[in-house]
Amino acid sequence: MVSPFLPDAAKLRSVREAIPASGAGIYVNTAEAGPLPAETAAAMREIADHETRFGRGHAADLEDAAARRDEARAALAAVLAADVGSVALTRGSTDALAVALRGIEWSAGDRLVTVADAGPGIAAAAAGVVERRGVELVVADRRRHPADGTTTTAPLTELIVSATLDGDARLVVLPHVGVAGRRLPIAQLVAAIRSVRPDVPIVVDGRLAVGAVPVMVDELGVDAYAVGGDAWLLGPAATGGLWVAPSGRLHPDLAGPDALTPSGRTGMPIRERDARAFEPGELPTTSVVGLARSVGWLSMFVGLDWVLGRAPELAGRLVDRLAEIDAVELLTPAMAAERAAIVALRIRGWPAEEAVGELGRRIFAIAGVVASPDAGPPMIRLSTACFNEPSELDRLADAIGLLAAHTPDTLPRPTALTIVHG
């Protein structure tokens, strides 16, 4: 059984036993979708079995569903070091961002400021207001100055502040961790933005941060923070949350007409609601239970300090190994303070999709491919988690070294296993 007081080696064995997919291969795609703990899957099956046998909609079931939502909110609040009343449940981090962006009273010509490595979640949420409200998307990019499109070497903070100075800037939305693994100094960026535009709301996408690095959301100074439940928190798909500050810069009455009250019914006056007023409607109880169970398991049985310390440490080990390979281009910051638990790279001569496919065939690596923030070819994305073993990351680095020493045409074929029937 997993316990926060086990020695490291024993805890790692127990955690891997509790997450069956960790033994199915070298699982380094947690940024895309974390593997489910067996305990979580069992809890979700129990709910599904109950609904199958006894139906849904009983009064007691509705009360139980409300209690399950409270449990999930409390679990997310604990990870964020936040008050439970400041957390709303959503259908994932992209949904959380969309809800937050709908909490702004947009006008045609307003500007939404973001950064080049914001990721697909921010892009999808921003597209909604850009298309429906006539909002202009402004990207603060080290390669292109937002004012005139010329190339620049200005610091990111300066570029964001410059883009926000415009009186039409209505919102800034930033990733806590970019798609290539860069950890943005959110508190520093917020202070710089507030110094010139204290009225502009700031929303942060924490999908690639929460569960991988410590997050003290109250200390960031932002107005909203989106959480993905299905990445490092190991929850089921389409789960997540939105932390909302009491600043009042986001308005729940704009976020959607079907916002839930604490009782699960609409109609409560907006000012009497807490963050749950931002919830986008009913959520499947099975998914809510799975999210609460995964987050609770990580917090109470595995131990958050161990989880949050181990993932970045393993990423650093992988960075150090890959930095020794000449044909590998690392796109993740070399400095530990600037990265989280993601290692992004390209291998010279190898399309990312082909390289990931070859790693899967050779060593059963489960890795990701994502679009590059530098307008270059797609990247290989390796995301480490608490359940990874150093030895399997060393095997992964060795396999990447083998690919880097060849091209897809010259790579030796793996040795075939011959099975002789008696």
Side-chain angles (χ1 to χ4, degrees), residues 259 261 265-270 273:
T261 66
R265 300 183 180 89
T266 57
M268 179 180 286
I270 292 297
R273 300 178 185 173

Side-chain angles (χ1 to χ4, degrees), residues 3 59 75 134 164 228 320 395 418:
S3 164
T164 311
D320 291 343
R395 295 203 313 276
T418 302

